[in-house]
Amino acid sequence: MYFDSHAHYDSRQFDSDREELLAALPELGVEGVVDPGCDGESSRLALRIAEEHGFVYAAVGWHPQEWESWTAESLGEIRALAAHPKAVAIGEIGLDYYWDREHRELQEEMLRAQLALALELDMPVIIHDRDAHADCLRITLEYPGLRGVYHCFSGSAQMARQLLDAGWYLGFDGPITYKNARRNLEALAECPLGRILIETDSPYLTPEPNRGRRNDSSQLRYVVRRIAEVKGLTEEAVAAATAENARRLFNI
């Protein structure tokens, strides 16, 4: 059974068949899903989806790309949403210099505010780090009481070791199946099985052999297969261990 620790079923790309797809996932071996919000609206939708499907949980937070909608009231909104019984983390939060380098100070302000809230609420965090490795690492390590996962980890093996030493989990998804995955696989090799989460980032990052199509949690088997190959383990062992890791981190 697979646990998809990061899938955006609140995305508009699922509007046409969301209910049918989610209803079918348990029969396809998916025992759990965490749907992270990216702003107030998507966090509320993730919670509604979680209310309607027992195996789905939500994270609530403000993504760095959503800086334009961040206001003085946003943190209070996240706090209120985090009180929902199906909210298991603060996320997806972090830094993204790929799409926006101009508002780095605001991104850092948003990230620090939400990290402090996670500590206050004793909740794990889901970190988005795109082309911002040095700053993300520096900032998150300034909060030693935090626990969480670096979603779609794309940093170096050295960065992986630093995060693992600090108690973090690393999320791996479709890119580890790609031909240019050398850096991802180096980080994966450093990560013990007990700190690995599997994820899809649906509808994005579809693994080979289906790259280019819309992703969903049924595609986790390809991610598990690649991890099993790298680690010299059975796919069943990887699926079981990563599901237990997700339940442990998110207190499910």
Side-chain angles (χ1 to χ4, degrees), residues 157-158 160-161 164 185-192 231:
Q158 179 183 2
R161 287 191 293 271
L164 293 166
L185 295 178
E186 288 175 350
L188 175 60
E190 292 291 330
C191 193
K231 296 296 187 183

Side-chain angles (χ1 to χ4, degrees), residues 96-112:
D96 192 316
Y97 297 165
Y98 179 84
W99 291 109
D100 178 33
R101 290 180 173 272
E102 182 180 352
H103 299 90
R104 291 163 71 154
E105 290 185 4
L106 178 55
Q107 287 189 38
E108 180 169 338
E109 174 188 319
M110 293 166 59
L111 174 58
R112 287 186 179 278

Side-chain angles (χ1 to χ4, degrees), residues 34-53:
V34 173
D35 186 327
C38 293
D39 57 13
E41 181 181 359
S42 60
S43 294
R44 287 189 294 272
L45 179 53
L47 284 169
R48 286 200 295 271
I49 293 170
E51 288 174 342
E52 294 166 1
H53 299 272

Side-chain angles (χ1 to χ4, degrees), residues 128-149:
H128 172 99
D129 167 22
R130 189 167 188 189
D131 287 3
H133 302 319
D135 284 349
C136 255
L137 181 64
R138 171 180 56 82
I139 293 167
T140 52
L141 292 184
E142 289 177 14
Y143 297 79
L146 275 176
R147 64 190 192 279
V149 57

Side-chain angles (χ1 to χ4, degrees), residues 14 30 35-36 58 66 73-74 89 91 101 106 143-144 166 206 208 251:
F14 293 109
V30 179
D35 186 327
E66 302 301 326
E73 288 74 43
S74 297
R101 290 180 173 272
L106 178 55
Y143 297 79
T206 309
E208 297 289 0
N251 196 29

Side-chain angles (χ1 to χ4, degrees), residues 50-232:
E51 288 174 342
E52 294 166 1
H53 299 272
F55 68 100
V56 178
Y57 302 85
V60 296
W62 234 271
H63 191 287
Q65 286 178 245
E66 302 301 326
W67 57 267
E68 288 183 283
S69 61
W70 177 263
T71 69
E73 288 74 43
S74 297
L75 194 65
E77 184 173 358
I78 298 168
R79 182 193 301 276
L81 294 173
H84 192 287
K86 292 299 290 284
V88 297
I90 302 299
E92 175 178 355
I93 64 177
L95 301 174
D96 192 316
Y97 297 165
Y98 179 84
W99 291 109
D100 178 33
R101 290 180 173 272
E102 182 180 352
H103 299 90
R104 291 163 71 154
E105 290 185 4
L106 178 55
Q107 287 189 38
E108 180 169 338
E109 174 188 319
M110 293 166 59
L111 174 58
R112 287 186 179 278
Q114 294 177 93
L115 294 179
L117 179 63
L119 277 175
E120 177 190 336
L121 300 178
D122 192 26
M123 297 181 74
V125 295
I126 298 173
I127 295 293
H128 172 99
D129 167 22
R130 189 167 188 189
D131 287 3
H133 302 319
D135 284 349
C136 255
L137 181 64
R138 171 180 56 82
I139 293 167
T140 52
L141 292 184
E142 289 177 14
Y143 297 79
L146 275 176
R147 64 190 192 279
V149 57
Y150 263 64
H151 148 64
C152 191
F153 185 74
S154 59
S156 65
Q158 179 183 2
M159 180 179 178
R161 287 191 293 271
Q162 290 177 272
L163 288 168
L164 293 166
D165 287 345
W168 286 77
Y169 290 77
L170 304 183
F172 295 96
D173 37 25
I176 65 171
T177 71
Y178 301 165
K179 291 181 179 178
N180 63 345
R182 179 186 60 81
R183 183 180 174 96
N184 306 72
L185 295 178
E186 288 175 350
L188 175 60
E190 292 291 330
C191 193
L193 185 59
R195 295 287 190 80
I196 294 173
L197 297 188
I198 56 172
E199 49 183 51
T200 58
D201 200 23
S202 299
Y204 315 108
L205 301 180
T206 309
E208 297 289 0
N210 297 316
R211 189 176 184 182
R213 305 177 190 174
R214 187 187 70 174
N215 201 5
D216 66 66
S217 302
S218 69
Q219 303 297 307
L220 283 172
R221 63 188 184 276
Y222 299 110
V223 176
V224 166
R225 184 173 304 165
R226 192 71 181 105
I227 294 172
E229 291 170 353
V230 171
K231 296 296 187 183

